[in-house]
Amino acid sequence: MSASLRAHQLTVSQGAVVVLDRIDLGVAAGDRVGVVGPNGVGKTTLLRALSGEITPEHGRVTLHPTTATIVRVPQESAAKPGETLADYLARCTGVAAADRRLTAATEALGAQRPGSDTEYADALEAWLALGGADLPERAAAVSEQLGLAAGLVDRGAGQLSGGQSARLRLATALLVRADVLLLDEPTNDLDDSGLQALESMVAGFGGGIVLVSHDREFCARTVERVLEIDEFTHQAREYAGGWQAYLDERAAARARAEEEYETYASTRDDLVARARRQREWARTGAKTAANPRREPDKHIRFREVQRAQRTGAKAAMSERALDRLEVVEEPRDPWELRLTITSAGRGSEVAFALREAVIERGDVRLGPVDLVIGAGERLRITGPNGSGKSTLVEALLGRLPLVSGTSYVGPGVVIGEMDQTRLSLRGPDPLLDVFRGLTALSPVDARTLLAKFRLGAEAVLRPVDSLSPGERTRAGLAVFQARGSTCVVLDEPTNHLDLPAIEQLESALEPYDGTVLLITHDRQLAEHVPVDRELDVRTLSPHSA
């Protein structure tokens, strides 16, 4: 593949708010570009503009050659109710649209419309380039490789587990044959084997890739250039040399900017103080020198006045030097999430227990399970996608009826939960109403707290279903801060969180003295959050005996 994409002076607004301001980006075959920035800065908007899904107010996106293909894989699976797995993959790989275009071109050719032969040739070339000819065979092989049942998507998007949705997105990425591939948070919910498959695909992909990801380990292993979108200017700066080079150069640039500003501010303050002092000396000196009571000799008075005027001239020189001083803007501190997880104590000595429990949901069956989790214990639940991690948590919390056996939740246990799909933050109601229902805060206190999590006046009045994944996750963290708990349940908590927020979450978990149930495939989060023990759910399967 030798195609390339170029974005020139790309500007996108939402109403009166500029989201992206004059973004330049070039992507050639073999390029691996990571796009970073805080939640809400416009990373997904950039991918959508690059793919042609939205039209920028200014600037343009060009493909060379013009017949080159570009596909975006979104961060959340948008499977339609009743859509078959094959139809879903055809749509998301771009093959379905290419097939419709080819069908229309074939009909035009049959009707012998002017230019139909060129239109047909271009449509056929695009269909073949996207892999339309052998997609059914490749889709079947990839689906089997990833453990996706043929009728899975018939259940509807709302019934897909996080792991199943992750595997659908991964299948799309593995099947895409495009000149430029745009990946939006591709690592969300992926297990270790899925991450390895994704990393292998990125390494072996012949075209250019632009990806948005907050998975630090994934970025370190895959990207060769980093495009950082600034939250204040809405412009972008590109860093070469890979992920670690980006981190190092960004830190060095910040240090240089702070040093340059300190030098400028010190020089400016000295000139201002000097000019003020010289003006004051000139004023008081001239007044004193002109006083005949102080000096009767008029000639001496004249010389003293002249001397004071020369001091005033020096003040004017200082002011001119101040005017010539090149202004250096003070580096602005980025928005920082300050998260605390409020503890309500340790609660009951035994937080959760399962006795001879047989657990079943869908294709997952676990048990018999004997498990006791004590107050203040930290447990990380591991296992591949679809193995039953979230199912086990549902049983521990007493929300999933057991096939047999018993479950116990301590009477003093107060649960704070961030589930994998953020189900508590779904629906048509405004965020403010849903958040108040979860926290019992007053409207003023609720708005104040949400604002600290970068959910302002506009966001709190929107239906929660309209929130972006990042906004929904930040709202979930705000619930944690508002509500005391003796146990936090974190099911893939870093999905859709930006890098500073992930680091804040790690820091907030460190002093928390309650029970922690953690499910994560974020390799650095797993490394940075210590646990007392790990439990692989595969050991609880009846097939593991």
Side-chain angles (χ1 to χ4, degrees):
M1 297 181 184
S2 58
S4 62
L5 173 148
R6 178 159 295 278
H8 176 69
Q9 296 289 286
L10 210 61
T11 300
V12 179
S13 301
Q14 292 179 355
V17 179
V18 176
V19 179
L20 303 173
D21 186 16
R22 292 168 291 167
I23 305 292
D24 290 324
L25 176 64
V27 184
D31 284 352
R32 305 291 182 263
V33 183
V35 180
V36 300
N39 287 138
V41 79
K43 301 183 294 296
T44 295
T45 300
L46 175 61
L47 296 193
R48 295 183 66 207
L50 294 177
S51 67
E53 296 171 57
I54 58 176
T55 302
E57 282 78 10
H58 303 287
R60 64 185 183 274
V61 178
T62 56
L63 285 170
H64 181 78
T66 56
T67 55
T69 54
I70 181 168
V71 173
R72 180 179 76 94
V73 180
Q75 60 181 300
E76 290 189 304
S77 296
K80 299 176 181 179
E83 186 175 43
T84 67
L85 179 58
D87 289 342
Y88 173 87
L89 294 173
R91 177 169 59 84
C92 292
T93 55
V95 170
D99 189 62
R100 290 192 297 272
R101 178 186 172 194
L102 180 59
T103 299
T106 302
E107 293 173 353
L109 186 64
Q112 297 183 341
R113 295 174 189 164
S116 59
D117 52 347
T118 301
E119 181 184 344
Y120 175 80
D122 290 345
L124 178 61
E125 182 181 351
W127 183 74
L128 291 172
L130 286 167
D134 62 348
L135 178 64
E137 293 78 16
R138 293 187 295 116
V142 167
S143 298
E144 183 177 355
Q145 172 191 345
L146 298 178
L148 291 169
L152 180 64
V153 187
D154 289 332
R155 303 176 190 173
Q159 297 183 29
L160 295 177
S161 72
Q164 290 166 339
S165 296
R167 282 180 285 164
L168 277 174
R169 294 194 305 274
L170 177 58
T172 303
L174 295 177
L175 289 167
V176 164
R177 288 184 177 174
D179 296 298
V180 180
L181 178 60
L182 310 177
L183 299 175
D184 197 350
E185 297 286 3
T187 64
N188 281 350
D189 298 310
L190 281 182
D191 56 22
D192 292 342
S193 62
L195 289 168
Q196 291 173 10
L198 179 63
E199 289 171 2
S200 296
M201 184 281 295
V202 170
F205 189 77
I209 295 179
V210 181
L211 62 90
V212 171
S213 179
H214 296 127
D215 186 317
R216 295 158 290 184
E217 187 68 22
F218 177 71
C219 289
R221 293 174 182 234
T222 57
V223 303
E224 298 165 353
R225 292 154 51 201
V226 175
L227 185 78
E228 183 179 53
I229 303 176
D230 186 88
E231 64 180 297
F232 301 114
T233 66
H234 308 290
Q235 297 176 348
R237 177 179 178 182
E238 190 170 306
Y239 298 80
W243 183 252
Q244 189 58 49
Y246 153 69
L247 295 177
D248 294 342
E249 187 176 347
R250 183 182 62 170
R254 175 76 184 188
R256 284 195 304 272
E258 290 176 348
E259 183 178 353
E260 289 171 0
Y261 177 76
E262 287 175 4
T263 301
Y264 159 76
S266 176
T267 303
R268 178 200 61 197
D269 294 345
D270 285 347
L271 287 172
V272 169
R274 185 189 307 170
R276 184 184 300 115
R277 187 168 57 249
Q278 289 167 336
R279 287 286 184 199
E280 181 63 21
W281 287 349
R283 185 185 65 79
T284 56
K287 182 179 179 181
T288 302
N291 186 354
R293 294 181 180 178
R294 180 180 176 277
E295 176 56 60
D297 191 316
K298 65 178 182 180
H299 299 291
I300 296 176
R301 289 202 308 273
F302 177 73
R303 288 197 300 271
E304 291 296 326
V305 169
Q306 284 188 316
R307 183 178 300 159
Q309 289 173 342
R310 286 195 295 272
T311 302
K314 290 180 181 179
M317 291 174 58
S318 297
E319 289 170 347
R320 287 194 295 272
L322 181 62
D323 291 338
R324 292 193 299 270
L325 185 65
E326 184 176 349
V327 176
V328 177
E329 294 292 335
E330 183 177 6
R332 298 174 70 177
D333 292 325
W335 175 82
E336 182 178 337
L337 171 66
R338 298 185 181 276
L339 173 66
T340 57
I341 300 178
T342 306
S343 171
R346 291 171 59 87
S348 306
E349 282 304 310
V350 174
F352 308 100
L354 294 172
R355 302 289 188 188
E356 292 293 317
V358 175
I359 308 162
E360 188 171 295
R361 183 167 65 174
D363 300 328
V364 173
R365 186 178 177 89
L366 303 174
V369 178
D370 287 293
L371 178 62
V372 177
I373 301 173
E377 187 174 0
R378 294 179 169 221
L379 174 68
R380 181 185 171 208
I381 302 171
T382 66
N385 290 143
S387 57
K389 300 185 294 297
S390 298
T391 299
L392 176 62
V393 168
E394 290 288 298
L396 282 168
L397 300 184
R399 293 200 295 244
L400 180 64
L402 304 178
V403 175
S404 62
T406 60
S407 65
Y408 171 82
V409 178
V413 171
V414 181
I415 298 169
E417 181 181 11
M418 181 174 289
D419 62 277
Q420 191 173 33
T421 55
R422 318 301 190 239
L423 284 175
S424 61
L425 292 161
R426 299 279 182 172
D429 295 329
L431 169 61
L432 182 62
D433 294 346
V434 174
F435 186 74
R436 290 188 61 212
L438 293 171
T439 61
L441 291 177
S442 69
V444 172
D445 290 341
R447 283 176 176 271
T448 300
L449 181 57
L450 286 169
K452 292 179 180 178
F453 284 78
R454 213 175 194 177
L455 296 163
E458 183 271 336
V460 300
L461 298 179
R462 283 163 40 202
V464 287
D465 274 346
S466 72
L467 298 177
S468 71
E471 290 171 328
R472 193 174 294 118
T473 299
R474 292 202 306 276
L477 291 177
V479 172
F480 272 178
Q481 186 149 319
R483 214 167 51 179
S485 63
T486 65
C487 171
V488 293
V489 180
L490 302 168
D491 195 345
E492 300 294 357
T494 61
N495 285 357
H496 315 297
L497 278 183
D498 56 31
L499 300 177
I502 292 172
E503 292 169 355
Q504 275 287 304
L505 177 61
E506 293 171 350
S507 299
L509 284 170
E510 184 175 349
Y512 181 71
D513 60 358
T515 306
V516 176
L517 301 182
L518 174 65
I519 299 174
T520 184
H521 294 298
D522 185 310
R523 290 160 288 194
Q524 291 203 15
L525 182 77
E527 180 181 338
H528 294 160
V529 176
V531 296
D532 299 307
R533 56 174 167 152
E534 293 186 359
L535 175 64
D536 190 330
V537 292
R538 289 173 293 184
T539 63
L540 306 178
S541 169
H543 303 293
S544 64

